Amino acid sequence: MPKLGVNIDHVATVRQARRTYEPDPVWAAAEAELGGADQITVHLREDRRHIQDRDVEILVRTVQTRVNLEMAVASEVLAIALKLKPACVCLVPEKREEVTTEGGLDVAGSLERVSETVKKLNGAGIAVSLFIDPEPRQIEASAKSGAPFIELHTGSYADARGDAEIARRLDALRDGTKLARQLGLRVNAGHGLNYRNVQVVAAIPEMEELNIGHSIVSRSIFVGFREAVREMKALIR
């Protein structure tokens, strides 16, 4: 069964709407773990639109499972990661104008820079994942980067409409997972997964972990954070 990483960015989004102290994403992390989360995921964006440095510092000290820090290939955030040493780092693309992460990291087009960042993180004992689209070119480049993991961007699957398009996007995830495993990469997935579409992705052979945020945070408004995580874990199981 794939592990569940719970992304708590949008708890911080609500807090930053008023720039106050609540709701505290650190509390959300504790509730997520009590609900069965295997990992807490946060994205420390360069513009600090939701998660703040303080959040990452406290989470790394207090989370009982592990912290997965999403970050751009940027020197400032890399320095923070090397200082705080979360269990995992996922390198993602980042644009100031986007609402959320749009598409995967272009590893093939920036292999040297990505590989240098991976080497520094690996050297600090931090497991590294690359957030990529399920395309052979990007998977093959990721295998050359030195990163042990990839995280397949499931947004195109989540946004697909109609049985034929959904099946095509799902096949791309299955084929991408198979190719990655053949190249020695371990495979995670995430983006846009929710209570309606998660099960078939969880059923992909050798899928190790799913990172899910917005859907769980949305559900938690109605049932509470702990229960929202429990429901997602049950679907994955």
Side-chain angles (χ1 to χ4, degrees):
M1 183 184 83
K3 292 181 172 63
L4 173 61
V6 177
N7 187 311
I8 57 173
D9 289 350
H10 291 307
V11 176
T13 297
V14 176
R15 178 191 62 190
Q16 295 307 111
R18 289 288 185 93
R19 300 199 179 278
T20 180
Y21 58 87
E22 60 182 3
D24 193 331
V26 175
W27 291 17
E31 284 293 306
E33 289 190 303
L34 289 170
D38 302 295
Q39 174 173 280
I40 302 300
T41 296
V42 290
H43 184 172
L44 186 64
R45 281 183 170 266
E46 292 183 90
D47 62 9
R48 305 302 197 269
R49 68 176 63 172
H50 38 55
I51 293 295
Q52 305 298 302
D53 297 45
R54 164 266 185 199
D55 302 329
V56 182
E57 292 170 8
I58 296 175
L59 288 168
V60 168
R61 292 201 309 268
T62 60
V63 163
Q64 300 300 297
T65 53
R66 59 187 184 184
V67 173
N68 174 37
L69 177 63
E70 296 181 342
M71 53 172 270
V73 184
S75 57
E76 181 217 358
V77 188
L78 174 61
I80 292 171
L82 293 173
K83 175 185 176 182
L84 298 179
K85 291 185 171 58
C88 317
V89 160
C90 183
L91 298 178
V92 303
E94 190 173 306
K95 294 183 290 187
R96 295 292 175 94
E97 66 272 17
E98 66 188 1
V99 175
T100 187
T101 306
E102 298 174 355
L105 186 67
D106 182 12
V107 180
S110 53
L111 183 57
E112 183 177 353
R113 186 177 179 213
V114 170
S115 298
E116 288 175 359
T117 302
V118 169
K119 184 178 180 180
K120 291 177 182 177
L121 291 166
N122 282 341
I126 301 169
V128 186
S129 177
L130 306 178
F131 187 65
I132 61 170
D133 292 320
E135 300 171 355
R137 178 170 173 263
Q138 298 298 341
I139 295 168
E140 290 164 0
S142 297
K144 297 174 183 176
S145 72
F149 289 89
I150 58 169
E151 180 171 336
L152 294 178
H153 188 304
T154 52
S156 295
Y157 159 73
D159 294 337
R161 296 294 178 266
D163 292 345
E165 180 66 9
I166 291 171
R168 187 171 73 85
R169 297 295 185 179
L170 186 58
D171 283 344
L173 293 172
R174 289 173 175 146
D175 292 344
T177 300
K178 184 177 179 180
L179 174 60
R181 293 299 297 142
Q182 290 172 348
L183 295 173
L185 291 165
R186 299 169 68 180
V187 184
N188 305 327
H191 197 85
L193 296 177
N194 59 42
Y195 295 87
R196 297 181 301 279
N197 64 22
V198 70
Q199 287 182 299
V200 289
V201 177
I204 294 174
E206 299 192 272
M207 182 65 68
E208 295 201 22
E209 176 184 287
L210 303 176
N211 284 295
I212 304 173
H214 186 266
S215 179
I216 291 174
V217 174
S218 299
R219 179 69 175 154
S220 74
I221 294 172
F222 303 102
V223 302
F225 216 93
R226 198 180 308 186
E227 181 59 25
V229 173
R230 284 175 178 158
E231 290 178 1
M232 185 62 77
K233 281 278 285 190
L235 287 171
I236 291 172
R237 187 177 302 114

